[in-house]
Amino acid sequence: MTKGSCMCGEIAYEYSGEPQVTALCHCVDCQKWSGSAYTSNVVVPRTSFKVTKGHPKSYNVKADSGKMNNHWFCGTCGSSLYTEVEIMPDVVCIKAGSIDDKSVRDFKKTGVEFYTKDRMGYSQPVTGADQKRVFADS
């Protein structure tokens, strides 16, 4: 069981099994959500994820795809925790920085980079990661 939490410890969650993929997302939504150049995500099946402590708050936003992104965060400390995206209804995109175990959040292989069209000029492609100009690029 892998566990995670917000900065103040008011919200905690856990998931079982291995991630389906590790991903960086460079979309403007993720830039604003993280206050950084991208979000780093551990993507797991919704059925393997559960909040075990507290009640996270959420904020919904319409993505470039026209689908909704539901961002979950701690209402006390503001930590970003996870996102449920309508375009991927069977998974949860856990913000890697909220995972308690450094060896898990410091994933050694990035599987995919989304929205590379919005990548900051100072951020280079990750070698070996699939590069998707938008979400559904192939």
Side-chain angles (χ1 to χ4, degrees):
M1 199 64 63
T2 302
K3 298 180 179 194
S5 60
C6 63
M7 190 168 16
C8 72
E10 189 172 304
I11 309 294
Y13 64 82
E14 63 185 26
Y15 70 89
S16 58
E18 292 297 315
Q20 288 184 346
V21 70
T22 53
L24 303 182
C25 187
H26 300 274
C27 75
V28 174
D29 183 32
C30 281
Q31 290 172 8
K32 295 225 178 234
W33 178 238
S34 67
S36 188
Y38 53 83
T39 59
S40 57
N41 302 275
V42 172
V43 181
V44 302
R46 283 195 192 191
T47 56
S48 73
F49 176 86
K50 69 178 177 178
V51 173
T52 58
K53 179 182 176 190
H55 302 283
K57 292 190 174 201
S58 67
Y59 179 75
N60 293 315
V61 65
K62 187 182 280 189
D64 283 349
S65 66
K67 304 284 187 177
M68 296 304 292
N69 290 346
N70 193 7
H71 297 287
W72 295 89
F73 61 97
C74 176
T76 301
C77 68
S79 295
S80 303
L81 297 168
Y82 59 98
T83 303
E84 296 170 326
V85 293
E86 188 178 4
I87 200 166
M88 297 176 7
D90 298 328
V91 299
V92 173
C93 300
I94 298 170
K95 303 307 157 205
S98 71
I99 296 171
D100 293 339
D101 184 341
K102 183 182 185 288
S103 69
V104 175
R105 71 176 180 267
D106 184 18
F107 48 84
K108 304 300 183 218
K109 181 179 184 314
T110 300
V112 63
E113 292 189 77
F114 292 114
Y115 281 90
T116 59
K117 72 179 185 73
D118 296 325
R119 183 192 331 260
M120 295 287 106
Y122 57 81
S123 181
Q124 300 302 310
V126 174
T127 302
D130 288 341
Q131 302 293 309
K132 306 283 187 183
R133 182 168 158 65
V134 295
F135 182 78
D137 248 10
S138 47

